[in-house]
Amino acid sequence: MKTPYQNIYKILMLNRLIVLAVVICAFIASTFSLWTAYTTHKNALNSAFAINTDGSIIPLTLVTQKENFAVEALSHLDLFHTYFYNIDASNYERHLKKALWLGNSSVDNLYRQKKADGVYNRLLQYSLVQKVLNIDSKITESNGIHKFMTTTFFEINRGSIIDTYELVSTGNLMLVDRNFPNNPHGLLITDYFENTLKKIPNKNRKK
């Protein structure tokens, strides 16, 4: 003989099965959503920017950052050395401010040393024009550390006299977050050091 309690028991069992099925489905759906979001985010980080033929950055174009590292690194080094050494009385503050965004404290320390030595005061006092002629960088990778050596040719125009110099500098490159427009390549120069500076005859300079 069936009693009302037996019907209630069956209803409770059915409700329990329904709730359990809903919880399992929700867990599967949440797990799949998290996996999809993670995969999409990872792919976006590696393919969010394009490199133009001149090394400049084009945001929101899907490319692989790793494949373009060499192009970006060379462009970053060109940009830094141009800002740091291509200066005159009218632009040196603006150029140096931009250069400091591209390097860490080693660059800032060099800037402060040059400032203390009166380099920029002489630039203003004698209206000197320091112009970069050529930048040649070589990058090597070892144990995940990217090292560079850059040879920069620049001339200093003193009016009636133009002297040409060859500067060899070294350092490392570290990946950081991109910062438009201050640091578009997402690289930071570390351990920067001016190794040698020598005056060369103008007829031997690179163009």
Side-chain angles (χ1 to χ4, degrees), residues 25-207:
C25 291
F27 176 77
I28 294 174
S30 299
T31 302
F32 178 76
S33 298
L34 289 173
W35 177 81
T36 302
Y38 172 78
T39 303
T40 302
H41 178 68
K42 186 176 180 180
N43 291 336
L45 286 178
N46 292 327
S47 56
F49 303 90
I51 313 303
N52 205 353
T53 53
D54 62 357
S56 60
I57 303 299
I58 304 175
L60 306 180
T61 303
L62 299 180
V63 292
T64 302
Q65 182 180 347
K66 184 176 180 180
E67 294 176 352
N68 293 285
F69 178 83
V71 177
E72 291 206 58
L74 291 174
S75 182
H76 185 85
L77 292 171
D78 282 354
L79 196 61
F80 167 75
H81 286 85
T82 298
Y83 282 146
F84 203 72
Y85 297 104
N86 197 88
I87 54 176
D88 57 40
S90 64
N91 68 18
Y92 81 97
E93 290 183 328
R94 182 173 67 255
H95 279 203
L96 292 173
K97 182 178 179 180
K98 292 179 178 180
L100 292 175
W101 273 96
L102 307 178
N104 72 346
S105 58
S106 62
V107 173
D108 184 64
N109 290 338
L110 178 61
Y111 159 71
R112 292 178 184 275
Q113 179 184 334
K114 288 178 178 288
K115 186 175 182 180
D117 292 341
V119 172
Y120 307 119
N121 284 337
R122 288 193 294 273
L123 195 75
L124 293 172
Q125 183 177 357
Y126 300 107
S127 298
L128 304 180
V129 177
Q130 185 169 296
K131 180 181 178 182
V132 171
L133 304 174
N134 187 72
I135 301 170
D136 181 27
S137 298
K138 292 179 174 57
I139 302 170
T140 58
E141 190 271 336
S142 177
N143 298 324
I145 299 176
H146 295 88
K147 300 179 179 293
F148 70 85
M149 182 175 70
T150 300
T151 303
T152 305
F153 290 88
F154 63 90
E155 65 181 18
I156 298 180
N157 189 325
R158 296 181 171 87
S160 59
I161 301 175
I162 299 178
D163 295 322
T164 306
Y165 296 87
E166 177 191 81
L167 170 69
V168 177
S169 56
T170 57
N172 300 331
L173 289 172
M174 180 175 67
L175 287 170
V176 295
D177 291 337
R178 297 176 191 268
N179 185 327
F180 291 95
N182 298 313
N183 190 338
H185 295 99
L187 293 169
L188 196 69
I189 294 172
T190 65
D191 302 311
Y192 186 69
F193 186 72
E194 293 182 342
N195 295 74
T196 61
L197 175 65
K198 64 180 182 180
K199 185 177 177 181
I200 61 175
N202 287 350
K203 63 180 181 179
N204 293 331
R205 75 189 185 191
K206 288 190 176 182
K207 294 184 177 181

